[in-house]
Amino acid sequence: MSPGAPRGPAEPAGPSAKSVRARTVRQASIALGAGAAAAVYLWHTDPHQPGQLLLPCPFKWATGLLCPLCGGTRMAYDLMHGDVVRAFHDNAALLTLAGPAVAYAVGRWLVAGIGGRVYRPRLPARGNAVVLGIAAVWMIARNLVG
């Protein structure tokens, strides 16, 4: 084999910056539209009142226990109506931990995508353990307290 000869098949080129940018804008637009439609519906639908047409939590339905995400719809409704205290009461962990984490991840994805780069978030094993541990402790605590 000569020194200048390729050693294996050529690596495929990744997506172009233009296609990454276009895909990011398209996906962000779809997500923004769906989120806006859901927010408009939720604005007029008080989840604190019984009989609303909202999806019930399947975990609570099956077990009778609150999952770590239970109260998220009520929390979003309360935040949209400016009641931060009630939103905190609905799901404190989701409001204080998950909200900022999701905002950070979405922001990184948008900045990278608009810049033409693919963003692949990675959570190491310790990160997964921390997230699952917090979720388990939160679920146990809120079900014991009532």
Side-chain angles (χ1 to χ4, degrees), residues 94-136:
L94 192 62
L95 180 63
T96 58
L97 299 175
V102 169
Y104 172 78
V106 169
R108 292 266 323 253
W109 170 69
L110 282 172
V111 167
I114 302 266
R117 297 178 312 279
V118 176
Y119 174 64
R120 291 188 179 88
R122 290 175 180 38
L123 193 60
R126 284 187 189 167
N128 283 324
V130 167
V131 169
L132 291 175
I134 290 171

XYZ file of all heavy atoms in Angstrom, residues 94-136:
308
model
N -40.289 20.689 39.407
C -40.379 20.923 37.969
C -40.125 22.398 37.657
O -39.413 22.722 36.707
C -41.758 20.498 37.468
C -41.964 20.393 35.968
C -41.043 19.337 35.380
C -43.408 20.047 35.665
N -40.659 23.282 38.474
C -40.503 24.717 38.244
C -39.062 25.164 38.449
O -38.499 25.886 37.634
C -41.442 25.500 39.165
C -41.395 27.024 39.058
C -41.821 27.476 37.678
C -42.288 27.646 40.119
N -38.437 24.717 39.530
C -37.110 25.226 39.880
C -35.965 24.498 39.191
O -34.909 25.089 38.997
C -36.890 25.177 41.396
O -37.038 23.831 41.849
C -37.872 26.070 42.126
N -36.139 23.235 38.836
C -35.040 22.464 38.247
C -35.218 22.198 36.755
O -34.327 22.481 35.958
C -34.870 21.134 38.989
C -34.522 21.241 40.469
C -34.500 19.855 41.102
C -33.199 21.940 40.663
N -36.355 21.654 36.376
C -36.536 21.246 34.983
C -36.721 22.442 34.053
O -36.213 22.430 32.929
C -37.718 20.295 34.857
N -37.423 23.459 34.503
C -37.639 24.635 33.658
C -36.340 25.253 33.173
O -36.132 25.403 31.963
N -35.442 25.610 34.095
C -34.167 26.178 33.650
C -33.319 25.200 32.829
O -32.653 25.620 31.876
C -33.457 26.537 34.958
C -34.555 26.701 35.950
C -35.624 25.735 35.542
N -33.346 23.919 33.157
C -32.549 22.940 32.408
C -33.051 22.817 30.968
O -32.252 22.777 30.023
C -32.595 21.577 33.100
N -34.365 22.787 30.787
C -34.926 22.704 29.440
C -34.643 23.991 28.668
O -34.283 23.952 27.484
C -36.435 22.387 29.491
C -37.098 22.561 28.135
C -36.656 20.977 30.014
N -34.785 25.128 29.330
C -34.494 26.410 28.665
C -33.045 26.460 28.198
O -32.752 26.918 27.081
C -34.797 27.572 29.609
N -32.122 25.987 29.027
C -30.704 25.951 28.660
C -30.473 25.046 27.449
O -29.791 25.434 26.484
C -29.873 25.473 29.852
C -28.433 25.224 29.520
C -27.536 26.282 29.394
C -27.954 23.938 29.327
C -26.205 26.066 29.079
C -26.622 23.707 29.011
C -25.757 24.765 28.890
O -24.444 24.541 28.579
N -31.055 23.833 27.474
C -30.843 22.881 26.381
C -31.441 23.407 25.073
O -30.809 23.300 24.011
C -31.445 21.528 26.733
N -32.628 23.981 25.137
C -33.255 24.518 23.932
C -32.449 25.704 23.404
O -32.243 25.845 22.190
C -34.725 24.907 24.202
C -35.306 25.713 23.055
C -35.562 23.665 24.453
N -31.978 26.553 24.300
C -31.147 27.683 23.886
C -29.873 27.226 23.194
O -29.494 27.770 22.147
N -29.200 26.235 23.774
C -27.981 25.705 23.135
C -28.286 25.128 21.764
O -27.535 25.309 20.807
C -27.343 24.604 24.005
C -26.761 25.036 25.308
C -25.277 25.356 25.270
N -24.442 24.545 24.431
C -23.579 23.635 24.860
N -23.432 23.415 26.141
N -22.834 22.966 24.015
N -29.400 24.385 21.649
C -29.792 23.788 20.374
C -30.052 24.874 19.331
O -29.598 24.765 18.193
C -31.036 22.923 20.587
C -31.670 22.454 19.313
C -31.158 21.559 18.427
C -32.921 22.890 18.778
N -32.028 21.397 17.370
C -33.120 22.200 17.566
C -33.900 23.765 19.215
C -34.247 22.380 16.786
C -35.029 23.943 18.440
C -35.190 23.258 17.242
N -30.772 25.935 19.735
C -31.068 27.011 18.781
C -29.809 27.751 18.346
O -29.629 28.011 17.158
C -32.060 28.000 19.397
C -33.515 27.556 19.416
C -34.352 28.536 20.216
C -34.048 27.398 18.014
N -28.938 28.080 19.290
C -27.706 28.801 18.949
C -26.839 27.961 18.017
O -26.328 28.454 17.007
C -26.937 29.206 20.229
C -25.534 29.670 19.904
C -27.705 30.277 20.982
N -26.689 26.681 18.327
C -25.876 25.808 17.472
C -26.531 25.646 16.100
O -25.854 25.745 15.069
C -25.684 24.450 18.133
N -27.837 25.404 16.065
C -28.533 25.177 14.802
C -28.525 26.393 13.897
O -28.292 26.284 12.699
N -28.751 27.571 14.461
C -28.730 28.797 13.659
C -27.307 29.052 13.156
O -27.113 29.590 12.069
C -29.234 29.999 14.487
C -30.636 29.726 14.978
C -29.107 31.307 13.735
C -31.773 30.209 14.197
N -26.316 28.616 13.945
C -24.925 28.749 13.519
C -24.497 27.673 12.528
O -23.343 27.634 12.107
N -25.428 26.742 12.181
C -25.120 25.713 11.197
C -24.448 24.486 11.779
O -23.920 23.662 11.046
N -24.464 24.353 13.101
C -23.846 23.199 13.747
C -24.925 22.308 14.351
O -25.951 22.782 14.817
C -22.887 23.650 14.847
C -21.717 24.481 14.332
C -20.814 24.964 15.451
N -21.504 25.567 16.568
C -21.948 26.825 16.620
N -21.805 27.617 15.570
N -22.550 27.291 17.689
N -24.669 21.002 14.357
C -25.590 20.052 14.971
C -25.262 19.984 16.453
O -24.107 19.835 16.842
C -25.449 18.655 14.331
C -26.324 17.643 15.040
C -25.776 18.710 12.856
N -26.302 20.109 17.294
C -26.113 20.014 18.750
C -26.694 18.696 19.215
O -27.866 18.407 19.009
C -26.807 21.181 19.451
C -26.792 21.076 20.955
C -25.597 21.107 21.652
C -27.963 20.942 21.671
C -25.576 21.015 23.031
C -27.952 20.858 23.048
C -26.765 20.890 23.724
O -26.735 20.784 25.086
N -25.847 17.878 19.807
C -26.277 16.601 20.365
C -26.013 16.621 21.869
O -24.882 16.395 22.299
C -25.522 15.460 19.708
C -25.907 15.255 18.267
C -25.276 13.999 17.694
N -25.683 13.807 16.329
C -25.058 14.319 15.287
N -23.984 15.051 15.447
N -25.499 14.108 14.072
N -27.052 16.890 22.653
C -26.831 16.934 24.106
C -26.463 15.551 24.630
O -27.007 14.540 24.185
C -28.173 17.401 24.663
C -29.164 17.080 23.612
C -28.441 17.130 22.300
N -25.525 15.544 25.533
C -25.088 14.286 26.141
C -25.131 14.441 27.649
O -24.615 15.405 28.198
C -23.674 13.940 25.707
C -23.563 13.528 24.249
C -22.110 13.317 23.874
N -21.742 12.913 22.555
C -22.248 13.274 21.397
N -23.261 14.069 21.353
N -21.772 12.854 20.250
N -25.751 13.480 28.302
C -25.805 13.453 29.749
C -25.034 12.218 30.200
O -25.420 11.096 29.864
C -27.263 13.397 30.230
C -27.515 13.657 31.691
C -27.033 15.050 32.093
C -28.992 13.520 32.005
N -23.946 12.405 30.925
C -23.158 11.241 31.346
C -23.936 10.387 32.349
O -24.995 10.787 32.840
C -21.919 11.865 31.988
C -22.315 13.243 32.371
C -23.375 13.655 31.397
N -23.395 9.226 32.642
C -24.063 8.290 33.551
C -24.350 8.939 34.904
O -25.424 8.740 35.482
C -23.216 7.033 33.728
N -23.427 9.720 35.416
C -23.666 10.400 36.690
C -24.817 11.388 36.582
O -25.608 11.548 37.498
C -22.414 11.133 37.157
C -21.377 10.225 37.726
C -20.252 11.020 38.319
N -19.169 10.120 38.671
C -17.970 10.511 38.979
N -17.667 11.793 38.976
N -17.050 9.637 39.291
N -24.899 12.069 35.460
C -26.002 12.999 35.240
C -27.344 12.284 35.220
O -28.322 12.763 35.808
N -27.390 11.132 34.538
C -28.620 10.333 34.541
C -28.984 9.900 35.954
O -30.151 9.948 36.346
C -28.460 9.094 33.657
C -28.557 9.416 32.192
O -29.326 10.283 31.795
N -27.766 8.734 31.386
N -27.987 9.471 36.723
C -28.239 9.037 38.100
C -28.766 10.197 38.944
O -29.680 10.019 39.757
C -26.971 8.456 38.704
N -28.208 11.386 38.758
C -28.667 12.552 39.515
C -30.109 12.891 39.155
O -30.940 13.116 40.042
C -27.736 13.765 39.271
C -28.353 15.047 39.781
C -26.383 13.521 39.922
N -30.432 12.914 37.873
C -31.795 13.240 37.436
C -32.784 12.207 37.971
O -33.828 12.566 38.533
C -31.867 13.335 35.895
C -33.312 13.410 35.415
C -31.081 14.532 35.405
N -32.477 10.936 37.817
C -33.373 9.890 38.311
C -33.479 9.919 39.830
O -34.560 9.694 40.390
C -32.908 8.517 37.824
C -33.069 8.279 36.326
C -32.453 6.936 35.929
C -34.525 8.340 35.922
N -32.379 10.204 40.517
C -32.406 10.301 41.975
C -33.281 11.442 42.451
O -34.087 11.285 43.380
N -33.140 12.608 41.830
C -33.973 13.759 42.201
C -35.439 13.446 41.940
O -36.307 13.738 42.771
C -33.527 15.026 41.441
C -32.169 15.494 41.956
C -34.563 16.141 41.561
C -31.542 16.603 41.132
N -35.729 12.832 40.790
C -37.116 12.488 40.467
C -37.690 11.500 41.483
O -38.831 11.649 41.934
C -37.204 11.914 39.052
N -36.897 10.501 41.878
C -37.379 9.507 42.842
C -37.611 10.134 44.211
O -38.649 9.897 44.845
C -36.378 8.355 42.943
